[in-house]
Amino acid sequence: MTNPIHILVIDDEPQILRALRTILTAKQFKVSTADRGEIGLAIAATEQPDLIVLDMSLPDMEGIQVCREIRAWSKTPIIILSVRDSEKDKVAALDAGADDYLTKPFGIEEFLARIRVSLRHKIQSDGGTRHSLVHAGNIEVDLNAFVAKKDNVEISLTVTEFKLLAYLASHAGRVLTHQTILSNVWDPAESDKIEYLRVYMRQLRKKLELDPEQPKILTTEPGVGYRFNADE
């Protein structure tokens, strides 16, 4: 029998801890909890959970600081929970190394879906099989063959367009900040040229989306970045 997936929840609200423990335990996860940042850091270091759910505001330290300290030695997926909904807070959390960001209150099904996405990335980063084919509706992106298809017909993409699409698709389900995308697809020196990125996103949407004005695959997190929505 395989060991259950271990999730650490760091949050100072007792009702949130109780609710998430109940929900996650019902889904057969092993759950540890902490109501302070220092305790959470100690559990993360000693028990090495498979995924961490982290509140932005803690009584002894900011969640951003906890995230940075964990990221200094671990690639464990981190999902931020917060009542803060500002673009600045979301960008700060994602740039600090968080894998995703959910604003309270949130839906349970969305929460569980974000966990599934983050765990898939962990499996891949741990050396599991990397899925070379990423599907989103009628779109197929072959990361190994450098080909994208729509309704099984190859889409004509420039080298930069495919590089951008491949980067987004390889991180499907995650919000990627403008700076992260620009630094990885282009160059760190280009990380402030957001309008440049927007031009390429508009071009990709025209080629991929059924309605480029209301995209379903390449969606925007306003003021933060973009997300590639792959099929489950």
Side-chain angles (χ1 to χ4, degrees), residues 27-193:
K27 295 294 182 180
Q28 308 303 311
F29 293 113
K30 175 184 175 182
V31 183
S32 296
T33 60
D35 60 2
R36 300 174 70 85
E38 288 293 347
I39 297 173
L41 285 170
I43 294 174
T46 57
E47 298 189 14
Q48 298 186 10
D50 298 296
L51 182 141
I52 297 170
V53 178
L54 172 64
D55 185 33
M56 185 77 92
S57 299
L58 297 166
D60 57 336
M61 60 198 301
E62 283 292 302
I64 289 289
Q65 183 182 349
V66 176
C67 185
R68 287 199 185 100
E69 292 196 23
I70 292 173
R71 227 4 118 238
W73 54 269
S74 173
K75 293 181 180 180
T76 301
I78 299 172
I79 299 176
I80 295 287
L81 301 182
S82 179
V83 294
R84 306 176 195 173
D85 194 27
S86 73
E87 297 170 2
K88 180 180 178 181
D89 287 320
K90 291 180 180 179
V91 170
L94 294 166
D95 283 345
D99 293 82
D100 214 335
Y101 189 109
L102 269 176
T103 304
K104 297 177 181 179
F106 50 84
I108 297 305
E109 289 306 315
E110 181 180 11
F111 174 63
L112 293 172
R114 301 290 182 89
I115 285 178
R116 289 194 296 271
V117 168
S118 294
L119 289 173
R120 281 202 297 270
H121 283 290
K122 174 178 170 56
I123 291 170
Q124 292 171 13
S125 66
D126 285 349
T129 302
R130 178 177 183 244
H131 294 290
S132 63
L133 295 178
V134 183
H135 293 91
N138 63 340
I139 300 298
E140 177 184 279
V141 183
D142 190 327
L143 299 172
N144 288 344
F146 305 103
V147 171
K149 295 180 179 180
K150 184 176 184 179
D151 295 321
N152 293 318
V153 177
E154 185 173 343
I155 305 168
S156 178
L157 298 172
T158 67
V159 172
T160 302
E161 285 172 346
F162 185 81
K163 190 176 179 182
L164 173 58
L165 176 61
Y167 184 70
L168 292 166
S170 66
H171 296 83
R174 294 176 58 185
V175 177
L176 300 173
T177 65
H178 299 125
Q179 291 77 11
T180 297
I181 297 169
L182 285 161
S183 295
N184 284 275
V185 176
W186 282 274
D187 184 272
E190 309 284 346
S191 64
D192 61 341
K193 298 183 179 179

Side-chain angles (χ1 to χ4, degrees), residues 182 192-202 226:
L182 285 161
D192 61 341
K193 298 183 179 179
I194 296 176
E195 186 52 44
Y196 193 54
L197 172 57
R198 287 174 179 151
V199 169
Y200 274 90
M201 287 300 296
R202 282 197 293 270
Y226 299 98

